Amino acid sequence: MGRPRKALLDRERIGATALELVDEKGDFSVPEMARRLGVQTASVYHHVDGRAGVIELLRERVTDAIDAGTLDGVPWDAALEQWARSYRAAFAAHPRAIPMLMTSPVRAPRVLAQYESVAGLLLAAGFAPSLVLPMITGLDNIVLGSALDMSAPDTMWEVSEGTEAPRLAAAQAATGAARADQAFDLTLAGFLAHCRSLLDAG
């Protein structure tokens, strides 16, 4: 019996299937992935290093949607802003993956390459090495928190009849459906302004 023309299983299919499960349920298991792929669980382990390996495939699939070209050819602050917006859009498309990816070490080479570019951008701009990871982590927190917020209801504070919160209710009515975007713009602008002040002071 001849070999099939196309491999039944590869890392691309494993990553895609894991992301489908996470989008649907917020988690995955390797046996569940194997059933969906129509293979034995052991076959999956031939291609990935356990659950941690699948999580890195997930990370790669989500971050492949980030436009790394935003980090090239513009001043550091404009580059960082553009990258953050692309990063937010990529993760907002898969909000259920965020808790899993935020609490697992980053190992995927393609993802590390993007962070390497950001680190290089900041060092070239003149930031001290001791500031680079705090800045990257702070930006991660802003972006991923906002990406989660984008999947939340537009009305996050339910001020029911009889609840004494008239100022909160008025503020919510004045904000409307653009709350998540406005909050992201405000927080990102404040972050970048503070980073500029650190550079000026250094």
Side-chain angles (χ1 to χ4, degrees):
M1 185 174 179
R3 293 189 175 189
R5 291 177 180 271
K6 186 177 179 181
L8 180 62
L9 193 61
D10 57 27
R11 291 170 61 84
E12 184 76 14
R13 288 190 64 208
I14 292 169
T17 302
L19 187 56
E20 284 174 8
L21 287 168
V22 171
D23 284 343
E24 292 169 14
K25 304 180 179 185
D27 203 352
F28 72 90
S29 71
V30 176
E32 190 176 20
M33 285 172 45
R35 285 193 298 273
R36 185 166 292 197
L37 288 161
V39 299
Q40 298 295 315
T41 300
S43 299
V44 176
Y45 287 121
H46 286 308
H47 295 270
V48 294
D49 182 18
R51 180 178 172 86
V54 177
I55 289 174
E56 289 311 288
L57 291 181
L58 273 170
R59 195 188 305 277
E60 285 187 339
R61 288 195 69 83
V62 176
T63 56
D64 278 349
I66 301 174
D67 182 5
T70 56
L71 296 169
D72 301 329
V74 290
W76 71 267
D77 48 355
L80 215 56
E81 179 178 356
Q82 293 171 16
W83 185 70
R85 293 186 182 282
S86 180
Y87 180 176
R88 177 183 182 238
F91 276 78
H94 305 283
R96 289 184 165 186
I98 293 172
M100 182 182 300
L101 299 180
M102 283 186 75
T103 53
S104 301
V106 180
R107 299 186 182 96
R110 294 205 301 268
V111 182
L112 289 171
Q114 286 211 32
Y115 281 108
E116 172 70 7
S117 295
V118 175
L121 176 77
L122 296 176
L123 290 169
F127 287 99
S130 60
L131 286 174
V132 170
L133 281 185
M135 288 176 66
I136 289 174
T137 304
L139 190 61
D140 273 352
N141 291 344
I142 292 167
V143 168
L144 296 174
S146 182
L148 271 177
D149 191 27
M150 290 174 72
S151 67
D154 289 335
T155 303
M156 279 298 294
W157 293 269
E158 294 187 353
V159 183
S160 58
E161 188 175 346
T163 302
E164 290 299 322
R167 288 166 292 193
L168 178 61
Q172 184 162 252
T175 304
R179 175 190 57 78
D181 290 336
Q182 289 180 35
F184 177 68
D185 291 343
L186 179 69
T187 310
L188 182 60
F191 171 81
L192 291 172
H194 182 62
C195 290
R196 290 185 198 102
S197 72
L198 292 174
L199 191 58
D200 292 341

